[in-house]
């Protein structure tokens, strides 16, 4: 199955990967979550080639994770702001970061801090129905209805 076909897959993970399944897209969403909005800000933060950044921003906009807004008419300039779907991706990024810290944590790593309390964020994914930490109970996949 190629990536185009994944957007029609019954697996929600496969569908999610079609719009954010590469490192650049996730890092753009990370930076947008930290307040970056402009092309040059993303390019400077990521060290990404402009052509790649242009494509990733277009895809994230088409997929509804970012919204393109004009902030200057002369010269024409746009910024990219998170949509509700983009903001809702932040917990995924934070959990991925916690996994990276635990299993790829060599060297000095950035930490994510709660802006109100100053405490380091220690994320955990919990099933809202059972209250159980995800990964502590067996799961199965149910066919779509």
């Amino acid at each position: 199955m190629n990536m185009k076909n994944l957007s029609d897959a019954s697996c929600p993970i496969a569908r999610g990967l079609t719009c954010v399944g590469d490192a650049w897209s996730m890092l753009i969403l990370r930076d947008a979550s930290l307040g970056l909005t402009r092309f040059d800000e993303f390019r400077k933060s990521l060290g990404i080639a402009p052509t790649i950044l242009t494509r990733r921003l277009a895809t994230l906009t088409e997929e509804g994770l970012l919204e393109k807004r004009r902030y200057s008419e002369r010269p024409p300039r746009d910024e990219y702001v998170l949509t509700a779907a983009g903001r809702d991706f932040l917990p995924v990024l934070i959990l991925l970061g916690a996994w990276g810290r635990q299993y790829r944590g060599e060297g000095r790593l950035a930490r994510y801090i709660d802006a109100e309390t100053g405490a380091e964020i220690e994320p955990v994914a919990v099933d809202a129905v059972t209250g159980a930490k995800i990964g502590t109970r067996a799961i199965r996949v149910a066919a779509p209805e």
Side-chain angles (χ1 to χ4, degrees):
M1 179 177 284
N2 66 37
M3 284 300 280
K4 286 284 188 205
N5 294 343
L6 289 179
S7 62
D8 296 326
S10 63
C11 174
I13 295 170
R15 286 194 185 187
L17 285 172
T18 62
C19 58
V20 294
D22 70 88
W24 288 126
S25 295
M26 289 192 213
L27 293 172
I28 290 166
L29 291 171
R30 175 205 63 193
D31 283 357
S33 295
L34 295 172
L36 276 60
T37 61
R38 298 186 179 174
F39 187 92
D40 287 339
E41 293 174 330
F42 291 118
R43 193 168 53 89
K44 182 178 179 185
S45 171
L46 299 171
I48 187 174
T51 53
I52 295 172
L53 179 56
T54 297
R55 282 195 303 264
R56 294 309 187 280
L57 288 170
T59 298
L60 290 167
T61 301
E62 289 166 15
E63 294 290 347
L65 291 132
L66 292 175
E67 180 183 342
K68 188 174 176 179
R69 291 187 190 159
R70 180 70 35 112
Y71 71 86
S72 171
E73 291 297 333
R74 289 182 170 227
R77 299 267 191 244
D78 297 314
E79 64 181 354
Y80 298 86
V81 295
L82 291 167
T83 63
R87 288 187 300 276
D88 286 347
F89 196 72
L90 180 60
V92 176
L93 292 171
I94 297 296
L95 283 166
L96 182 59
W99 180 89
R101 177 174 284 286
Q102 182 172 347
Y103 294 104
R104 300 290 185 263
E106 304 83 26
R108 294 169 30 109
L109 295 175
R111 297 175 299 128
Y112 294 99
I113 307 297
D114 183 292
E116 289 182 28
T117 67
E120 185 168 350
I121 294 171
E122 294 183 31
V124 59
V126 175
D127 176 30
V129 175
T130 64
K133 182 178 174 185
I134 295 175
T136 61
R137 293 178 172 198
I139 64 166
R140 64 181 175 83
V141 178
E145 297 178 12

